[in-house]
Amino acid sequence: VAMQTPRRFVAAVVLAIVAAVLAVRTPRVEGAAMEVVRVAAVKHIGHAYTRGHSYELLPTVYYGHRSLRDMTHADAAFFIGRGIASMVMFPAPGQARSRSELLYIPEQLIWYVVVFTAAIGFIAGLRCDPLVTCLLAGYAVVALVAVGVHSGNMGTLVRHRAFALPYLGALSAFGAAALLSRYGSSKQGRYGTDR
């Protein structure tokens, strides 16, 4: 129902955001949400202390100095935000520490292209088949956010985010097709004929 017109979709998104904000402000939901974030932070810290190329998502004081029970809402938001960003950006080419990580750079560059074209595919897919597009995007986002906030090791992050690749791959293929179609139509309009 929400996907039948753009206005309904915008209204549904705004309504969902307002409902989520109001729900999180109730003490019971707020406590449950913070507990979920703390559990994710414990798993992240466990990964961050493993051998290999680890990274930190929490403020530095939580790594051995402060209890996660002291985590504030701002710290939780910082953790979730960095987890989402890390899932897309890490391992950045400048973070390579070894030859094996240098060899991984081409795959990471392909990952950036997949994420970019998947975003375009999501927008284009909403115009063609919003239900399938939202299903694919929903599965991808849930998998990527779960991986992003639980990881703390580059190798683990790379392996686990593959759970989202079937869904991202479909959106990415559609996005690439939309880009090629747009490029082809603009080229045809410029020259007047197909070449």
Side-chain angles (χ1 to χ4, degrees), residues 114-187:
V114 167
V115 171
F116 174 74
T117 53
I120 292 171
F122 175 75
I123 294 166
L126 287 176
R127 296 183 191 128
C128 298
D129 194 337
L131 181 60
V132 171
T133 300
C134 286
L135 283 171
L136 290 171
Y139 281 118
V141 167
V142 167
L144 291 174
V145 169
V147 168
V149 298
H150 288 93
S151 294
N153 181 288
M154 297 292 185
T156 305
L157 174 73
V158 169
R159 286 190 303 275
H160 288 176
R161 74 180 175 199
F163 291 128
L165 274 179
Y167 316 110
L168 277 181
L171 291 171
S172 176
F174 193 72
L179 283 174
L180 291 173
S181 171
R182 185 172 181 151
Y183 173 74
S185 64
S186 69
K187 189 173 180 182

Side-chain angles (χ1 to χ4, degrees), residues 14 18 47 184 195:
V14 170
V18 169
H47 283 288
R195 294 191 178 201

